[in-house]
Amino acid sequence: MSDDIAICTQDLVKRFRTLRGMVTAVNGVTLQVRRGETYGLIGPDGAGKTTTTRVILGLLKRTAGESSVLGYDSMRNTYEIRERVGYIAQQFALPADLTVQENMRFFADIQDVSAEEQQRRIPELLEFAGLTHFTKRLAGRLSGGMKKKLALACSLVHEPQVVLLDEPTLGVDPVSRREFWNLLGNLRAEKGLTIFVCTPYMDEAERCSRVGLMYQGRLIAHDSPKMIKRLVPGRLLEFTPSNFVPARQIVTGMEGVLEVQTYGVMLHLFVDDVARRRQEIAGALAAQGITCVGMREIEPRMEEAFISLIRRQSDQSHGV
Amino acid sequence: MARDTVFGGARKSWKRVSALMRKEFTQLLRDWRTLVMILVAPLLEMFLLAYAVSLTVDHIPTVIADLSLDTRSRDFVNALEISGFFDVDLYVADESEVIRAIDEGRARAGVVIPPDFSVHIERGDAQVLLLLDGSDAFTLQSGYGAALAIAQAQATELMMEKISRRGAFDIGQLPISTSTRILYNPDMDDMTFIIPALAAMLVQVVAVGMTAMSVVREREVGTIEQLLVTPVRPLELIVGKLTPNILIAAIDLACVILFGNLWFGVAFKGDLWLFVWLSLVFIISGLGLGLLVSTVTRTQKEAQQATAVLMLVAMMLSGFIYPRAPMPPLVRAVGNLIPLTYFNNIIRGIVTKGVGLTFIWHDTLVLIGYAILVMLLAALTFKKRLD
């Protein structure tokens, strides 16, 4: 394995024994995260993102395949990994009845950070997370966004080379989310930190240098966000019909319309040829007395690409 | 080099354990409500239980149907009342009314004295009917015993009186009398019997409950995952979490014993240090049991219920109240699974009898083995991973 790989899995499989038999949560995932990049593992709830992360960290036993962090095997060298990575669990919880400062000290002690180093790092990290004025506040009394920032600060106190964040902005307001991601951006730029993040949010996926798309335990695509968006055939047309339900029925199955997605009161159509189909669609709808407002071509975003890729995957697996 | 890493490993390990212990202590002291509960509840429970679990029943409310109403019958009723076991608060006309009074719960014992009581006494065939409420075993036992003794005492007195009237002035004593000496507990004081075992039981509740709850709570709120992903080893986690609990349980035990001594006058007769060391073993076995409970339960509620069931079993089968000798073998075997069973013998041995290790070595050995086994089992089943 080359030195610039931070996280690596090879045909990783994880099955759970449940009351209704075996469930395959992770089904042959192969991925590589390079040092210094921000890798986003994206996918709907239940896709297997959390399980993959936990297996990589050695929190769960893998059923088959390989997984390693910084060259250390997830199962055999668990403690070497744990001294070198930071992690924020999805249902993360720092002891709520300890103050911000006590939490920082606790995790620093656990990670064997010397007293002198703590004197230097803890104020620095609190400053960086914007928590300097809250050192004496109990962790349980912080706002959702501040809790996440404290968790991030705690997970960085031993200066790890890699951090794994499992849906770190779940239940956080949009402003705090933006702040959190700005922190991550700074970390990557300043310290060359490798960031592995699971998220269901597509806007967060756009901020990653590379993403892996997970669906039903499989990695169905992995590339840069730009390349992922190119995987979707056709171009994207957006408009607001005056009568939504019949309009959707009419355009679905029209020649040249590859895919129909709904977006609020708008329809998003993937078409093979924008100039040509635009006229045909407007005409077909007008014939039924439906008018179209603001019809235009837009750049596909991760969201459209994601839905399209998942649909194709699900069609394949159902043999359609 | 290898020595360096071993030394370095031990240093890091100690640092992690002490960080965990500091965290636990900080949390414990901050959560003062729980702390007060843990420290005060056993004392409160001791007071309540010690008075409630009084094994002899006296001042039994009693109903009398005296159909003679002569001096002899009045003497007998007086004797019942003077004994302190019976409180006569109701006089009725006949037997059926006595039964009704007991039915209605106005009395728990009834005495029917037939007509012409003195005449029958002179003839030597007098009978008194004693009716007891059998729905309460302790009242039944105490009342029966007391009434029998009172009647016999009266009869003896009358007999002596009769003999002396016939002219034999000095007949001395009855030919046989028993002389009883109660060892260790000369005043037959229930407290001497109950308090030490009660102390042991309360401490077991605290040790098992506190440990199970604290581990399950961490798992429930999710702090355990954040801890497991640090370099902390499972054994360090156990030691760090349990040490504060040992201290709390020890303080509890000391408080209960001290209060038993000061309030209930239960003397501490044996070797204090021997008691301290064996208590430590007992507490550790309780903590191990708590850890086991935490591995089989998922939520705090489940942990609480499992602890409650365990305590009920401990109370019934450890010999705390009910003697273990008459229990069927299977039931006794269940009692053997609880450390309290062994510690009951130890604490009664040391505190009440004042005996040394030579007399309780068997229970001591079993208790030590138990503590080691349960800790080992807990450490093995303590989940290193999340699955």
Side-chain angles (χ1 to χ4, degrees), chain A residues 14 54 57-61 75 78-79 82-83 87-89 91-95 97-99 102 105-107 109-114 138, chain B residues 11-12 15-17 19-20 22-23 26-28 30-31 217-218 221-234 384-387:
Chain A
K14 173 65 186 174
R54 285 178 169 173
L57 282 167
L59 281 168
L60 294 174
K61 254 189 197 139
M75 300 298 131
T78 314
Y79 291 113
R82 288 176 189 181
E83 286 169 9
Y87 172 57
I88 304 182
Q91 303 295 333
F92 97 101
L94 299 173
D97 41 7
L98 292 185
T99 64
E102 285 164 350
R105 268 204 68 189
F106 171 64
F107 283 98
D109 283 339
I110 289 279
Q111 291 285 4
D112 193 33
V113 179
S114 70
L138 293 181
Chain B
R11 188 193 57 79
K12 280 186 188 177
K15 193 168 177 182
R16 289 190 291 262
V17 170
L20 281 164
R22 189 164 47 235
K23 161 184 166 282
T26 312
Q27 289 180 301
L28 203 64
R30 195 151 285 158
D31 188 8
R217 192 186 315 127
E218 290 235 15
V221 299
T223 46
I224 204 99
E225 187 173 356
Q226 208 64 51
L227 270 180
L228 284 179
V229 85
T230 65
V232 170
R233 312 301 199 262
K384 295 181 185 114
R385 304 183 202 276
L386 290 165
D387 48 358

Side-chain angles (χ1 to χ4, degrees), chain B residues 29-81:
Chain B
L29 293 177
R30 195 151 285 158
D31 188 8
W32 61 270
R33 271 198 199 92
T34 311
L35 195 64
V36 167
M37 273 287 286
I38 291 171
L39 290 177
V40 174
L43 289 180
L44 216 64
E45 282 170 47
M46 178 180 74
F47 279 101
L48 290 176
L49 279 171
Y51 284 116
V53 189
S54 183
L55 298 183
T56 40
V57 183
D58 45 15
H59 297 283
I60 303 167
T62 308
V63 54
I64 305 277
D66 186 353
L67 307 180
S68 291
L69 286 173
D70 54 26
T71 29
R72 295 298 189 202
S73 69
R74 240 162 301 173
D75 282 349
F76 186 74
V77 173
N78 269 342
L80 287 179
E81 213 161 8

Side-chain angles (χ1 to χ4, degrees), chain A residues 196-208:
Chain A
F196 178 94
V197 59
C198 299
T199 180
Y201 299 120
M202 294 307 140
D203 57 327
E204 293 185 349
E206 304 254 15
R207 286 170 171 263
C208 299

Side-chain angles (χ1 to χ4, degrees), chain A residues 211-260:
Chain A
V211 296
L213 238 114
M214 242 188 130
Y215 183 64
Q216 293 184 341
R218 289 176 187 280
L219 202 63
I220 57 174
H222 57 112
D223 217 322
S224 67
K226 203 172 159 190
M227 295 306 287
I228 292 267
K229 284 182 272 191
R230 289 211 188 133
L231 287 174
V232 185
R235 297 168 67 186
L236 191 58
L237 204 56
E238 175 191 85
F239 62 92
T240 311
S242 60
N243 202 345
F244 187 83
V245 180
R248 196 178 57 194
Q249 281 168 355
I250 293 164
V251 296
T252 306
M254 268 180 74
E255 198 196 338
V257 175
L258 305 168
E259 188 170 340
V260 180

